[in-house]
Amino acid sequence: MGITIQEASHRSGLSAHTLRYYERIGLIHEVERDPSGHRAYTESDLAWLDFLTRLRSTGMPIADMCRYAELRRRGPGTTAERRRILEAHRERVRTRIARLTEDLGILDYKIDFYATTEAR
C-alpha cells in the first residue's frame, strides 16, 4: 500500500497543492488510489518527485518538465530525446553557475574592500 498525500508532501518537500497540480498538468501520472479513494504514492513516485524537484530547482521551465514527463511515459524509444532535453538544460545550468560564480567574485571583492576600509 502507498503513502498518503500528506506523507508524500512531507517526504518530497512539496505541498499537497503542488502534488495535485503536478498530477493535473501531467508531470506525474494519475496517482493510484487506496480503497477509500485517497491518493497512495509509491516509493517510485517519490523518486520521480525528487527528480522533478531537482529539475525545478535548477531552473527548468515547467513546460520542458512536462515535455520530459510525456516522453518518459512513452517509454524507452524516447531516451535520445530525453537525453537532449537534459543536455540542453545542463548547459543552461552551467551558464547560470558561471554567472553566479562571477557575481560571487564581485561580492567578495566589495566585502574585502569594505573590510579593509573599516580596518583603517
Side-chain angles (χ1 to χ4, degrees):
M1 189 52 89
I3 63 171
T4 66
I5 194 167
Q6 290 81 14
E7 180 64 18
S9 173
H10 176 74
R11 289 183 53 190
S12 70
L14 299 169
S15 69
H17 174 77
T18 299
L19 293 174
R20 287 186 207 96
Y21 172 70
Y22 278 10
E23 187 176 345
R24 189 171 55 252
I25 66 170
L27 273 178
I28 57 177
H29 62 85
E30 189 173 325
V31 177
E32 297 293 321
R33 303 288 180 140
D34 66 17
S36 62
H38 296 102
R39 287 173 176 84
Y41 291 84
T42 65
E43 290 300 320
S44 178
D45 293 331
L46 292 175
W48 175 241
L49 288 169
D50 180 63
F51 183 66
L52 291 174
T53 299
R54 290 172 190 275
L55 292 177
R56 195 72 189 118
S57 72
T58 56
M60 181 178 273
I62 293 284
D64 290 352
M65 292 169 62
C66 286
R67 175 73 180 141
Y68 185 90
E70 172 59 32
L71 292 168
R72 179 178 178 254
R73 276 190 290 282
R74 289 188 197 170
T78 65
T79 56
E81 191 170 352
R82 284 185 274 164
R83 179 184 44 79
R84 284 190 292 274
I85 289 170
L86 294 178
E87 286 172 342
H89 182 61
R90 178 179 60 191
E91 286 310 306
R92 290 188 299 270
V93 170
R94 284 182 174 158
T95 299
R96 187 169 152 219
I97 289 170
R99 253 186 269 125
L100 286 171
T101 300
E102 185 178 316
D103 294 344
L104 182 59
I106 298 297
L107 289 173
D108 288 341
Y109 170 79
K110 281 294 195 183
I111 291 166
D112 290 345
F113 172 78
Y114 292 135
T116 302
T117 302
E118 291 169 4
R120 291 182 194 167

